[in-house]
Amino acid sequence: MGGDIEGDPELETVERISEERKLRVEELYAAHAQGAVRLAYLLVGDQEIAQDIAQEAFLRAFGRFADMRKPNSFPNYVRATIVNLTRKHFRRRGLERLYIERLRARPAPSVAPPNVEQREMVTQALLKVPERQRAALVLHYYEDLSECQVADLMGVSEQAARSLVARGRKALREQLGGTRP
């Protein structure tokens, strides 16, 4: 009994069936691929999309090949799959168009031009904040890191990071003369 697989009639049968199935799939593809791409092209009008749809149809058909009641119905199954995939393609394109039209219909958000003077004033004030507090502020607000992440990066406890951020805010506020940018 053991692990002698060589000469196992069941394994040889499975391998033979597998090889026969592979050859059958190759034959079906060779026989129907060109017609499938042509059908898809006539439905969508774009060669690349047609090739994609035909490939997808074959993948789906081959995936269900073993379940087909009538193997002779393969060409019809591929055609039906192409038609369904084409419908899906146009439905998706329609949704994309609708989304784009809705975006265009929205009023553009008014974005104020950047206030260069204010930015320079804040930068100069930030440079006057003690180094560790400045690092905590920049990591927390500019890099958008949590206090826990700031603590890890700076090698301090979370409480110390919170304290550095709070003291840095206070120092920055004092540098700016108590005004908020």
Side-chain angles (χ1 to χ4, degrees):
M1 239 172 72
D4 187 10
I5 296 177
E6 209 172 298
D8 183 353
E10 288 181 24
L11 181 61
E12 289 175 5
T13 302
V14 168
E15 287 175 349
R16 184 178 42 77
I17 290 171
S18 179
E19 188 60 34
E20 288 173 4
R21 184 169 184 240
K22 180 181 172 191
L23 289 173
R24 179 69 177 135
V25 164
E26 288 173 359
E27 289 171 7
L28 286 170
Y29 184 79
H32 300 289
Q34 190 175 14
V37 172
R38 186 174 38 250
L39 172 62
Y41 177 77
L42 291 171
L43 293 172
V44 295
D46 182 289
Q47 187 66 30
E48 287 183 27
I49 294 171
Q51 288 172 339
D52 288 346
I53 288 174
Q55 288 292 333
E56 181 67 23
F58 274 102
L59 285 173
R60 290 182 182 194
F62 292 146
R64 298 183 131 286
F65 190 67
D67 300 333
M68 284 187 192
R69 287 183 223 121
K70 300 177 188 173
N72 294 342
S73 65
F74 181 82
N76 290 334
Y77 183 82
V78 170
R79 284 187 203 104
T81 304
I82 289 172
V83 170
N84 289 333
L85 289 170
T86 302
R87 284 189 196 135
K88 181 180 177 183
H89 166 75
F90 283 118
R91 190 170 37 247
R92 186 174 46 243
R93 259 184 51 191
L95 288 173
E96 288 170 357
R97 258 194 222 119
L98 182 62
Y99 177 74
I100 290 170
E101 288 172 11
R102 285 184 181 166
L103 281 180
R104 287 182 185 154
R106 289 184 189 164
S110 60
V111 176
N115 187 335
V116 178
E117 288 177 26
Q118 184 182 38
R119 184 177 60 197
E120 185 60 33
M121 182 178 68
V122 170
T123 301
Q124 290 305 313
L126 186 61
L127 289 173
K128 294 176 184 172
V129 171
E131 191 176 316
R132 288 171 46 89
Q133 293 173 12
R134 181 172 61 236
L137 285 173
V138 169
L139 290 171
H140 185 63
Y141 291 106
Y142 182 75
E143 294 293 325
D144 200 27
L145 298 179
S146 70
E147 289 169 344
C148 181
Q149 291 169 313
V150 170
D152 285 345
L153 270 169
M154 294 184 71
V156 297
S157 69
E158 196 171 337
Q159 179 59 41
R162 261 194 299 278
S163 176
L164 286 168
V165 169
R167 287 184 298 152
R169 263 195 321 259
K170 183 180 179 198
L172 183 59
R173 198 173 300 118
E174 289 171 0
Q175 290 295 325
L176 294 170
T179 60
R180 288 184 174 235

